Amino acid sequence: MSKPTSDFLRVLTERGFVHQCTDSEGLDALARGGELTAYVGYDATADSLHVGHLISIMMLRWLQKAGGRPIALMGGGTTKVGDPSGKDEARKLLTDEDIRANIAKIRATFDNFLSFGAGQGILANNADWLDGLAYIPFLRDVGRHFTINRMLTFDSVKLRLDREQPLTFLEFNYMILQAYDFLELGRRHGCRLQMGGSDQWGNIVNGIELARRVEGRELYGLTCPLLTTAAGQKMGKTASGAVWLSPERLDDFAYWQYWRNTEDADVGRFLKLFTELPLEEIARLAALQGSEINEAKKILANEATALCRGHAAAEAAAETARRTFEEGGLGDGLPTLTLERQRLAEGVPAYALLREAGLASSNGEARRLIKGGGARLNDARIELEDRLISVADLGPEGVIKLSAGKKRHALVRAG
C-alpha cells in the first residue's frame, strides 16, 4: 500500500487554510489510507502568478511535505476561454504563443515551492487534453450532465447577469471544461482532490458530480478562504499594483518589503499561512506588542521571501532594509528607475516621477500623496505636485531617493 498522507488535513486546519470541504471525514480517511494526489489549477493570463495565488501553492507544498503528490495544473487550454469568476468583463484573449511563454516563466515559481519528477509532483497542462476535444462528441459525453438551470445559479454567472454585463458563450463553457479537468486528472494520475479559493467552490463541485455520473468515481473538494487584510484590502494588491511572485515582475526588496509592511493584526495569521514556522513559535511572535511586533514582521518577510525567492534573496533584502532604515543609507537593493539624462536635465514633475517609480498607481494618486504630506524627495517633504525633479536633485551617490510614507522607497538614476 502507498504511504499515508495522515497529517495533511490536520496541518491545513490548524494553520487556517480550510474554508470548505465536501466531505472532511471521507477525505481524511482517504489521506490516512494511502498517498493522496491533489491539484490546483492556474490559468496563464500573465507571465507570473501573484501573492493572491500563494495560499493555494502553500496548500500543495504542505501536501507534498505530508507525503502526498501535488499537481500544479496550468490552464494552457482554459486560458483560451477565461474564467468568469469574480470578473466584470471578459478577459483579453491570448495567443497560443503568449500562453506557452507565460507557462514557461511561471514554472520557475513552482520550482521554488514544489519538487517535480518521477514519484514526486506533477506540472500538468490541460491543453494536452482540451485542445484535442471534438466539439459534438464532447457535448454528448460531458455537456449532457450540466443543466442551464443550475449553471445560472453559480455566482460567477449570476453576478455578471445581475449587473447586466455581457457573459460570452465562450466564458459560459469554462465551468464545464474545469469539471472535465478533474475527471481527466483522475483518469491520468489518480487525482482525488481539487483545491482552490472559495470562489471556485461551484466549479469544484461540478467536477465531483461529473466524475460520479460518468464513472462512479468519488472525488473531493477543498477550498481556502479568499484573504483580505485586517483593513479589508484584497490580499496581494498595493497602490503600485499586484505583488508578483516572479523577480522579473517585482524585485526581491519590494517583495520582502510587502511582507514587512504587514499590519499588526495580520502577523499571526500570515505567519501560519505563508511560512513553515512551528505553531508554538508563531504564537509567541503574534503575541508581541508595541515596537517588538516589528521583529515578528521581519521574520515573516524573511521566511516568506526565502520560500519564494531563496534564502540569498531574503538575506540581501533584509540587509538593504537594515541599511536604509536603521543606518539611514540609500541601500543598493531598493527599486531603481533609470531615466535618460536629457529628460532628467529638463525636469520631471514630482507626481509623474512618483508614478513612474512605482510609488503610486496613477498621477491622481501621486498628487494625493503629495497633498497629504506623504511624499519625500531625498528625505525632505515634497510641497508642490508640479515641482520639477532634475539632475540638480542627484545626491553625492548619483541617485535621487523618493519615498511614499515611511516604508516605501525607490531610487532614480540618470542613464
Side-chain angles (χ1 to χ4, degrees):
M1 185 176 69
S2 58
K3 57 186 177 181
T5 318
S6 55
D7 287 337
F8 173 62
L9 204 54
R10 176 184 63 80
V11 169
L12 287 199
T13 302
E14 290 178 346
R15 300 186 81 95
F17 285 94
V18 179
H19 179 66
Q20 297 159 297
C21 185
T22 54
D23 179 3
S24 56
E25 291 184 2
L27 177 59
D28 192 45
L30 176 66
R32 291 177 182 277
E35 182 184 67
L36 175 65
T37 299
Y39 92 95
V40 179
Y42 303 90
D43 279 343
T45 53
D47 59 6
S48 172
L49 300 178
H50 54 72
V51 163
H53 296 109
L54 193 53
I55 186 169
S56 64
I57 296 176
M58 289 299 294
M59 292 169 79
L60 289 175
R61 182 176 173 87
W62 281 112
L63 172 69
Q64 189 160 49
K65 286 172 68 70
R69 183 169 57 160
I71 300 176
L73 176 66
M74 294 308 306
T78 45
T79 301
K80 301 171 188 175
V81 176
D83 184 1
S85 301
K87 302 294 184 296
D88 289 335
E89 58 186 17
R91 283 175 169 155
K92 175 187 175 184
L93 295 181
L94 302 178
T95 66
D96 288 357
E97 185 178 344
D98 289 336
I99 294 171
R100 284 193 294 269
N102 287 347
I103 291 175
K105 291 183 178 179
I106 290 172
R107 166 68 192 257
T109 293
F110 283 122
D111 284 336
N112 291 328
F113 290 93
L114 304 171
S115 297
F116 297 108
Q120 300 187 84
I122 298 169
L123 186 69
N125 186 341
N126 62 16
D128 292 346
W129 52 85
L130 294 183
D131 281 2
L133 289 176
Y135 187 59
I136 298 300
F138 180 72
L139 288 180
R140 287 174 60 88
D141 295 341
V142 177
R144 64 189 178 90
H145 295 289
F146 295 82
T147 66
I148 298 296
N149 314 60
R150 187 159 187 270
M151 292 169 76
L152 289 173
T153 67
F154 286 116
D155 285 344
S156 59
V157 174
K158 191 172 181 295
L159 291 176
R160 187 85 71 85
L161 297 180
D162 287 345
R163 295 170 183 165
E164 297 184 355
Q165 292 160 332
L167 177 73
T168 68
F169 182 70
L170 179 67
E171 294 173 283
F172 195 63
N173 280 272
Y174 187 93
M175 63 183 74
I176 301 178
L177 297 178
Q178 183 170 331
Y180 185 72
D181 283 344
F182 202 176
L183 177 66
E184 192 66 29
L185 287 171
R187 291 168 171 170
R188 292 175 177 237
H189 303 295
C191 182
R192 300 289 299 277
L193 171 65
Q194 181 182 175
M195 302 186 293
S198 58
D199 62 331
Q200 295 298 314
W201 179 253
N203 290 334
I204 292 173
V205 171
N206 270 342
I208 293 171
E209 293 184 355
L210 178 63
R212 178 178 56 80
R213 291 172 180 172
V214 173
E215 297 183 347
R217 187 190 297 269
E218 187 176 10
L219 303 178
Y220 299 86
L222 180 68
T223 65
C224 55
L226 292 181
L227 286 188
T228 56
T229 66
Q233 295 177 325
K234 189 174 181 180
M235 183 73 183
K237 298 292 184 181
T238 67
S240 55
V243 182
W244 300 102
L245 301 186
S246 166
E248 285 75 27
R249 281 284 196 121
L250 184 71
D251 64 78
D252 295 334
F253 177 78
Y255 188 80
W256 186 94
Q257 193 68 15
Y258 170 78
W259 297 105
R260 170 62 180 82
N261 291 340
T262 295
E263 297 177 48
D264 293 2
D266 289 326
V267 170
R269 185 166 55 125
F270 287 2
L271 282 167
K272 286 182 180 180
L273 293 171
F274 303 114
T275 81
E276 295 175 336
L277 292 176
L279 293 177
E280 296 79 6
E281 174 66 4
I282 291 174
R284 183 189 71 80
L285 292 170
L288 296 176
Q289 299 292 323
S291 61
E292 290 185 340
I293 195 68
N294 289 325
E295 293 306 311
K297 293 180 182 181
K298 291 177 185 177
I299 291 172
L300 169 63
N302 290 340
E303 294 291 324
T305 304
L307 277 173
C308 186
R309 305 293 182 85
H311 288 284
E315 291 170 3
E319 177 60 17
T320 295
R322 188 186 67 79
R323 291 199 308 269
T324 302
F325 305 119
E326 297 175 17
E327 296 182 0
L330 287 178
D332 293 335
L334 288 175
T336 301
L337 171 68
T338 301
L339 293 183
E340 293 182 6
R341 179 168 288 274
Q342 180 59 38
R343 185 181 174 209
L344 196 57
E346 295 170 357
V348 182
Y351 71 86
L353 199 55
L354 285 166
R355 175 184 56 78
E356 291 183 47
L359 297 177
S361 59
S362 66
N363 289 339
E365 184 178 314
R367 288 181 183 275
R368 290 191 293 273
L369 179 67
I370 295 170
K371 286 181 181 178
R376 293 186 174 273
L377 167 66
N378 295 331
D379 296 322
R381 178 173 169 175
I382 300 175
E383 301 290 348
L384 300 175
E385 304 164 38
D386 297 318
R387 188 248 201 244
L388 291 181
I389 298 176
S390 69
V391 290
D393 296 300
L394 291 169
E397 298 181 23
V399 297
I400 296 169
K401 180 183 178 184
L402 293 176
S403 304
K406 296 179 179 180
K407 298 178 179 179
R408 299 174 53 230
H409 309 271
L411 303 181
V412 179
R413 299 183 184 274

